[in-house]
Amino acid sequence: MTTKERVHPAVVGRTVSIVGIGSYLPERILTNADLEKMVNTTDEWIITRTGIKERHIAAPDQASSDLGAEAARRALADAGISPEAVDMIVLGTITPDMGFPNTACFVQAKIGAKNAFCFDIEAACSGFLYGLEIGRQFISTGSMETVLVIAAEKISSILDWEDRNTCVLFGDAAGAVVLQARGAAHGVMASTLGSDGTLAELLMLPGGGSRSPTTEETVRNRLHYMKMAGREVFKHAVTNMTRAAKDALQRSGLGIEDIRWIIPHQANLRIIEAIGERLGVTKEKLVINLERCGNTSAATIVVALDELAREGKLQKHDKILMVAFGGGFTWGASVVEWDK
Ligand code: UT7
């Protein structure tokens, strides 16, 4: 059966396409050599264990909404759509500007999307794929016409810069897509999402919430910083992303040979290679930018997708498989047909 003949079983209602995309990386670059001066680490350790060479770090006066607003402006310009046309903004982040209001509301105010309703989703590194599927559902049912899905992270604000286990891994970034219904094209073909809250303690930011409101003691104990059991998370990341990718593929009715690009969450080159191996794909199908960006949590996939588009590597009808894993645990995978 050819790709064209396959019936897509997962889509009910209108098909939903990415009609605009944009991303933003803060100007400042922090290299592994810089980190060698900050914690007991080496460029060699970071490259061989993770594949990361440098990452972008937001300025002190930039919050996640500033990064997200810039990405959103670029996505709207790419789509040729005015901010007033946006019906809904869904924003994935684990680094909101503040406890409340939600960061999507701050982006709304910055870009002038005055007709949108706005909310955040907290699904850690899976935030973009969760947002993509939520946006798809609203448009698919006919409830909304134009949805802005944003992932915006200032991870540098929750890193313990004295903890070499985490501070060398992450960076700041934002990405955004505009979704609309577009007639006959397949667009977002299938998604699978999952969570496992029983393993929450392996990756979390324990302080500052209702469980441990901020006190001098929580700050002294550095509970306002991210904690990660890296080795454990690694194993779960490989297993769950491989399973999610296969599940989304099956739901899309496509085979792995139909996929032009795979964009895995950018946490560790060894994780990406392990997933590639388990899916049986050659390295050139894997989109990798973590050597320049590090792990930017919810933003990794959409930033990589935008770079791919801007480099002219996406052809209309290319099938793209995106797959994510993060704190929660949460995971997800989506198959998208590019139709810009
Ligand atoms: O985005 C959410 C999902 N996150 C992930 O998927 C991250 C998953 N985990 C990983 O990517 C890897 O587990 C890490 C990169 C975090 C760590 O790599 P690893 O190969 O699992 O190293 P390890 O944690 O087993 O540590 C090996 C050694 C330890 O020393 P000992 O105990 O063997 O003496 C660490 O203390 O490496 C040491 N180490 C470092 N050494 C130099 C840990 N961090 C550093 C560092 N520089 N920055």
Side-chain angles (χ1 to χ4, degrees):
M1 201 193 305
T2 68
T3 303
K4 274 188 190 141
E5 287 163 343
R6 285 187 175 126
V7 178
H8 170 237
V11 166
V12 190
R14 302 196 292 176
T15 56
V16 178
S17 299
I18 294 174
V19 299
I21 184 161
S23 65
Y24 172 75
L25 295 171
E27 214 173 293
R28 182 179 160 217
I29 291 172
L30 187 73
T31 65
N32 291 351
D34 296 327
L35 282 161
E36 283 180 349
K37 294 176 201 134
M38 296 162 65
V39 285
N40 181 17
T41 192
T42 60
D43 176 49
E44 201 251 331
W45 189 96
I46 301 171
I47 289 178
T48 53
R49 296 292 181 120
T50 73
I52 300 166
K53 294 179 180 161
E54 57 188 38
R55 67 289 288 146
H56 292 252
I57 302 292
D61 64 351
Q62 282 181 311
S64 291
S65 70
D66 297 305
L67 315 186
E70 194 47 44
R73 284 186 198 104
R74 293 176 186 187
L76 287 167
D78 184 49
I81 288 171
S82 76
E84 290 85 6
V86 176
D87 299 312
M88 170 179 135
I89 301 176
V90 50
L91 186 147
T93 191
I94 52 167
T95 50
D97 286 20
M98 53 188 76
F100 73 90
N102 69 61
T103 302
C105 279
F106 287 118
V107 171
Q108 175 196 31
K110 286 181 170 63
I111 65 173
K114 60 183 182 190
N115 297 312
F117 78 98
C118 310
F119 61 99
D120 289 359
I121 43 168
E122 207 280 59
C125 305
S126 310
F128 174 67
L129 294 186
Y130 272 50
L132 187 69
E133 179 57 12
I134 292 167
R136 176 170 86 82
Q137 294 291 340
F138 272 91
I139 296 175
S140 170
T141 57
S143 165
M144 299 287 150
E145 294 301 323
T146 304
V147 171
L148 193 51
V149 180
I150 304 171
E153 299 278 26
K154 187 181 178 182
I155 300 293
S156 61
S157 67
I158 56 164
L159 288 178
D160 185 344
W161 290 100
E162 293 179 11
D163 176 15
R164 68 177 185 173
N165 291 294
T166 50
C167 77
V168 305
L169 306 173
F170 294 88
D172 301 333
V177 295
V178 182
L179 302 179
Q180 284 187 337
R182 250 217 197 156
H186 283 109
V188 185
M189 298 179 69
S191 298
T192 185
L193 303 172
S195 308
D196 183 354
T198 65
L199 297 168
E201 80 279 3
L202 296 176
L203 179 50
M204 59 164 50
L205 193 159
S210 58
R211 173 71 54 203
S212 297
T214 307
T215 61
E216 282 181 17
E217 194 188 352
T218 63
V219 173
R220 200 167 42 248
N221 292 332
R222 311 181 85 75
L223 300 184
H224 54 303
Y225 293 129
M226 178 199 299
K227 315 285 174 204
M228 178 166 72
R231 213 175 303 182
E232 291 304 308
V233 174
F234 189 111
K235 286 182 230 155
H236 290 286
V238 173
T239 310
N240 286 298
M241 280 199 278
T242 305
R243 199 169 41 217
K246 288 181 178 172
D247 189 28
L249 258 186
Q250 196 189 8
R251 288 177 192 226
S252 74
L254 300 177
I256 192 73
E257 68 285 356
D258 299 315
I259 299 294
R260 176 67 189 89
W261 297 106
I262 298 172
I263 310 183
H265 174 48
Q266 310 281 305
N268 188 316
L269 186 58
R270 291 183 291 140
I271 294 177
I272 294 174
E273 286 171 350
I275 295 166
E277 206 172 288
R278 283 164 174 75
L279 293 176
V281 296
T282 51
K283 223 178 160 186
E284 60 268 16
K285 275 193 182 183
L286 295 167
V287 180
I288 298 166
N289 71 359
L290 95 167
E291 73 281 1
R292 287 181 290 106
C293 300
N295 181 347
T296 59
S297 183
T300 65
I301 289 175
V302 59
V303 170
L305 181 63
D306 182 45
E307 289 182 352
L308 206 58
R310 279 187 289 121
E311 286 162 15
K313 291 182 178 166
L314 283 176
Q315 307 288 319
K316 198 173 169 98
H317 301 307
D318 275 356
K319 310 292 188 303
I320 305 155
L321 170 61
M322 302 180 277
V323 57
F325 178 83
F329 288 140
T330 61
W331 57 85
S334 295
V335 177
V336 170
E337 180 179 333
W338 193 249
D339 58 58
K340 270 173 57 60

